[in-house]
Amino acid sequence: MADWDTAYITSLLALDRLADAQHHRWERFCETLAPQMLRDYLKVLPDFDDIDAEDAAKAHALTVEDPMAALRFFLAWPDIAMAARLIEERANTMDGDQTETLTAAADALRGRYPLAAVLAWRAMIDYVLWYGQSARYGHIADHLMDCAAADQDIADYGTFPSHQAYLDALQRQYKQKTSFWTRVF
């Protein structure tokens, strides 16, 4: 589809139909959250209009149905602050099975946005334990240790459970998963 979009936009530009090309770029960005489509759209805008359009694009990304697509966009853009905001606002909708995206997010966020990093790690932990994916217990045990390390940098968990409360809940809910707990303690 990206090749088709590129060919279509190139054709519109060759026909001196910049407004149509811009409209298509914006529509495709809204549908796909493709960073290059937005970059090409912004590049043509007059000074300062591009700032407003970028803000509108980020606002749109925050509201898309698939929060993981939005997270990939914010990581690629890059806008780590918006990635943190997205994770904190939509923590319960993060797909813990998308380890590559969530791990990249947590790594990028851990220094400046430790709460968002913890929420990314928790999404993966919750997913693996819920679905009993024992082959991934080593990874999530490491993530749980990352959560413990980040805990000292989080002054306020807001509406989210503190690290200790989260750990206690995991131990109650998944006490039978001894092969996981032996990796943690």
Side-chain angles (χ1 to χ4, degrees):
M1 188 72 166
D3 290 339
W4 183 89
D5 286 325
T6 301
Y8 181 64
I9 291 167
T10 301
S11 298
L12 289 171
L13 292 173
L15 294 170
D16 202 27
R17 293 174 52 191
L18 178 61
D20 292 335
Q22 285 293 86
H23 176 77
H24 186 75
R25 285 176 176 145
W26 181 255
E27 290 297 314
R28 292 301 294 148
F29 167 75
C30 288
E31 291 172 14
T32 65
L33 298 184
Q36 191 57 51
M37 197 62 68
L38 180 60
R39 283 186 186 94
D40 293 344
Y41 177 82
L42 296 176
K43 193 180 338 178
V44 178
L45 295 177
D47 288 343
F48 303 110
D49 286 354
D50 59 339
I51 295 169
D52 292 337
E54 182 179 351
D55 290 344
K58 290 176 184 179
H60 169 72
L62 284 173
T63 66
V64 296
E65 186 176 335
D66 180 3
M68 299 307 293
L71 184 56
R72 285 188 296 276
F73 165 71
F74 288 128
L75 292 173
W77 189 245
D79 191 328
I80 301 306
M82 291 299 281
R85 178 177 167 188
L86 174 75
I87 290 172
E88 289 177 20
E89 288 179 1
R90 299 181 67 185
N92 293 333
T93 62
M94 292 289 128
D95 180 354
D97 194 30
Q98 293 195 28
T99 58
E100 186 176 322
T101 300
L102 288 170
T103 299
D107 289 345
L109 295 165
R110 73 186 320 155
R112 291 182 50 207
Y113 302 98
L115 176 58
V118 163
L119 296 174
W121 288 316
R122 285 180 180 182
M124 291 182 281
I125 293 165
D126 293 343
Y127 181 89
V128 168
L129 290 174
W130 178 260
Y131 289 101
Q133 296 182 338
S134 58
R136 294 169 60 186
Y137 283 177
H139 294 291
I140 65 165
D142 291 342
H143 293 327
L144 191 57
M145 295 302 102
D146 290 331
C147 290
D151 182 55
Q152 65 185 338
D153 297 325
I154 301 171
D156 182 10
Y157 277 85
T159 61
F160 301 104
S162 68
H163 177 68
Q164 190 58 54
Y166 177 73
L167 182 59
D168 292 344
L170 284 182
Q171 287 176 313
R172 279 191 307 277
Q173 186 171 0
Y174 300 109
K175 63 184 171 193
Q176 78 284 6
K177 298 197 183 282
T178 55
S179 61
F180 168 68
W181 293 111
T182 57
R183 294 170 189 257
V184 175
F185 299 115

